[in-house]
Amino acid sequence: MTIKLRCADYGFECDYVLDGKKSISLIKEMIKHFDEAHGIEYSVEAVIQMIVNKGHSRESIRNE
């Protein structure tokens, strides 16, 4: 399954978008962006929870 992670969906005025398979590696890319572009550090678990809050299941996120 794929997902589109938009930085703007997480409260930032930012056009950054990631599109790919729901995976830990994609989440880590988004975490890197949050840190480098906005100076905010999120844990993998925090971003997973954000994705789950948007209606995706935790089980659908691949552990790659």
Side-chain angles (χ1 to χ4, degrees):
M1 269 200 145
T2 62
I3 190 168
K4 193 170 280 201
L5 300 177
R6 294 177 181 87
C7 193
D9 290 345
Y10 300 100
F12 299 101
E13 290 186 27
C14 180
D15 294 331
Y16 186 78
V17 176
L18 281 174
D19 192 2
K21 291 182 181 177
K22 280 190 229 176
S23 65
I24 298 299
S25 61
L26 191 71
I27 290 169
K28 287 180 178 179
E29 284 184 56
M30 189 58 130
I31 289 170
K32 183 178 176 184
H33 168 76
F34 287 149
D35 184 35
E36 292 176 353
H38 306 292
I40 297 175
E41 293 181 26
Y42 284 105
S43 67
V44 169
E45 184 57 38
V47 177
I48 288 173
Q49 189 59 49
M50 290 179 201
I51 293 168
V52 168
N53 289 345
K54 292 191 177 291
H56 299 271
S57 72
R58 183 176 297 276
E59 294 77 23
S60 69
I61 301 169
R62 299 177 133 211
N63 206 9
E64 6 179 292

